[in-house]
Amino acid sequence: MIYLAHTAHRQFLGLVFGFLAWLFIVTTTGINEWRLWYVDDVSVITSGVAWVGIWRACFYSHVLPEAEYCRGIGVSDSFVPAEIPSAQVLMMLAVITGLLGNVSAAVAVRFAYFSVEDRRNMRLSFMVAGTLYSVTAVLSLVPLVWNMASVLNNSTIDFPPEFNLPVAPVRQSVGAAIGMGMFASILMLISGVIFFCY
């Protein structure tokens, strides 16, 4: 029986990094703070800040019946720019491939820690995990960079009247979701490289 646990300590760390990165990617996907819109007119948006995510746009209001007023953004909505529906699709694909990468990485680390007779299967599982982690990193990095570029270029979104948002903000800034997603993507890429190095 072959015992290879001493050869896979870095890969175990890669599995931990990959799992944490995947949790951050899931959080990034669901968080509303991709873009922060700052507005002058605080008659409806009383905080002066609206959060525009890939799934919905929200703001605090003391005028409207709901304190936190949110409206959903769909993939097929015609008013949203291309980076938002693309981000919806790519981030969901990143969540799925990240989950598959975690399963594959766990199987690979299990092979190393609990002995295996056929080393080819073990190396293949490490390569599959590294590939899935790398694909996840790219799938999440593309929409994050695209949306960050739109924010930095001050691109606007022509929201319909029921959103109660202005046509253009006074200024906008990158939200916490993009920073968290960038960190998660880099961590996921590091995990993929660690698995490739087995």
Side-chain angles (χ1 to χ4, degrees), residues 10-187:
R10 283 179 293 178
Q11 283 68 28
F12 182 76
L13 184 63
L15 172 63
V16 172
F17 284 170
F19 182 73
L20 289 174
W22 179 73
L23 286 178
F24 285 138
I25 287 172
V26 169
T27 305
T28 298
T29 304
I31 238 171
N32 289 331
E33 293 183 21
W34 282 59
R35 303 171 184 215
L36 298 177
W37 276 31
Y38 298 95
V39 297
D40 276 341
D41 184 14
V42 291
S43 60
V44 177
I45 304 172
T46 50
S47 65
V49 179
W51 308 283
V52 180
I54 59 173
W55 301 107
R56 60 190 187 155
C58 299
F59 58 85
Y60 288 123
S61 177
H62 298 299
V63 178
L64 300 172
E66 306 163 21
E68 185 179 2
Y69 185 80
C70 293
R71 288 294 170 256
I73 299 171
V75 176
S76 60
D77 288 343
S78 61
F79 63 89
V80 294
E83 65 265 14
I84 291 179
S86 298
Q88 291 173 340
V89 172
L90 291 174
M91 290 303 287
M92 289 311 297
L93 287 173
V95 167
I96 293 167
T97 57
L99 179 62
L100 294 173
N102 281 327
V103 170
S104 178
V107 168
V109 170
R110 184 187 179 286
F111 276 157
Y113 277 91
F114 296 107
S115 77
V116 65
E117 294 300 327
D118 187 4
R119 287 183 166 200
R120 284 179 296 167
N121 287 340
M122 184 174 61
R123 284 198 177 125
L124 178 65
S125 61
F126 276 109
M127 292 303 288
V128 168
T131 302
L132 286 170
Y133 277 160
S134 300
V135 167
T136 302
V138 170
L139 284 173
S140 61
L141 206 53
V142 167
L144 290 163
V145 169
W146 193 0
N147 275 279
M148 185 173 70
S150 294
V151 169
L152 296 176
N153 291 331
N154 206 20
S155 299
T156 62
I157 302 171
D158 191 20
F159 286 107
E162 64 266 13
F163 276 76
N164 291 313
L165 288 167
V167 175
V170 174
R171 68 180 176 88
Q172 56 182 313
S173 63
V174 174
I178 290 180
M180 182 188 304
M182 293 284 199
F183 172 73
S185 298
I186 291 167
L187 195 60

